């Protein structure tokens, strides 16, 4: 098993969001739809085929830790921050941040080289968005 997947920028971004969606051990169609709807609005995904199944296979093959390290190396800092924000949004989409999701969010902060102040602000904003 290879520990470092070769990723495109789009695969790296998508995989980060998908990893958080599946952090609780199941990846639902609603979660996948949320991710796909979000990325469809992004410039980096215009005119790109999104291979959700292929990214899912890479996540399973290499594991979340190796995948996020490879993803971090592929993404610029602003895009890593956007990927982190999407991951938090997906994690909180059901209104509850489970233990597995919180553990993965805490792992993503250093893996994606997110400043603590930015990570805290993102989580706070997403908590506010998920109220009510």
């Amino acid at each position: 098993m290879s520990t470092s997947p070769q990723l495109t920028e789009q695969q790296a971004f998508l995989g980060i969001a998908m990893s958080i969606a599946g952090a609780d051990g199941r990846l639902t169609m609603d979660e996948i739809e949320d991710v796909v709807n979000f990325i469809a609005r992004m410039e980096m995904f215009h005119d790109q085929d999104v291979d959700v199944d292929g990214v899912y296979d890479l996540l399973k093959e290499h594991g979340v830790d190796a995948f996020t390290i490879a993803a971090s190396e592929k993404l610029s800092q602003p895009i890593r921050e956007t990927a982190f924000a999407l991951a938090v949004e997906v994690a909180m989409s059901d209104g509850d941040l489970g233990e597995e999701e919180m553990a993965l969010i805490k792992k993503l902060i250093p893996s994606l080289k997110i400043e603590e102040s930015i990570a805290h602000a993102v989580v706070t904003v997403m908590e506010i968005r998920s109220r009510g």
Side-chain angles (χ1 to χ4, degrees):
M1 174 170 95
S2 171
T3 58
S4 183
Q6 298 299 310
L7 305 170
T8 66
E9 184 178 35
Q10 291 80 9
Q11 288 172 319
F13 190 93
L14 178 59
I16 290 167
M18 287 178 62
S19 66
I20 198 77
D24 58 3
R26 60 190 194 293
L27 189 60
T28 68
M29 286 307 297
D30 285 344
E31 290 168 324
I32 292 172
E33 281 182 25
D34 287 346
V35 171
V36 171
N37 288 337
F38 183 92
I39 66 172
R41 298 185 308 260
M42 295 184 67
E43 183 70 31
M44 70 186 275
F45 285 94
H46 286 193
D47 301 321
Q48 297 288 324
D49 290 328
V50 180
D51 182 10
V52 174
D53 292 333
V55 172
Y56 180 75
D57 290 343
L58 286 169
L59 275 166
K60 281 179 32 182
E61 179 182 348
H62 297 282
V64 171
D65 292 341
F67 190 99
T68 54
I69 290 168
S72 180
E73 294 169 1
K74 193 66 180 176
L75 300 173
S76 66
Q77 185 62 36
I79 298 298
R80 286 195 302 262
E81 292 169 355
T82 303
F84 179 76
L86 175 58
V88 175
E89 182 176 349
V90 169
M92 298 183 86
S93 65
D94 62 0
D96 182 36
L97 196 56
E99 286 181 37
E100 299 93 349
E101 293 161 328
M102 182 54 97
L104 185 52
I105 286 171
K106 286 181 179 180
K107 280 179 148 181
L108 285 176
I109 295 168
S111 293
L112 295 175
K113 302 175 182 108
I114 306 295
E115 292 180 25
E116 288 289 331
S117 61
I118 291 173
H120 179 73
V122 166
V123 171
T124 300
V125 167
M126 295 306 168
E127 286 173 339
I128 292 167
R129 286 187 66 193
S130 68
R131 290 181 187 160

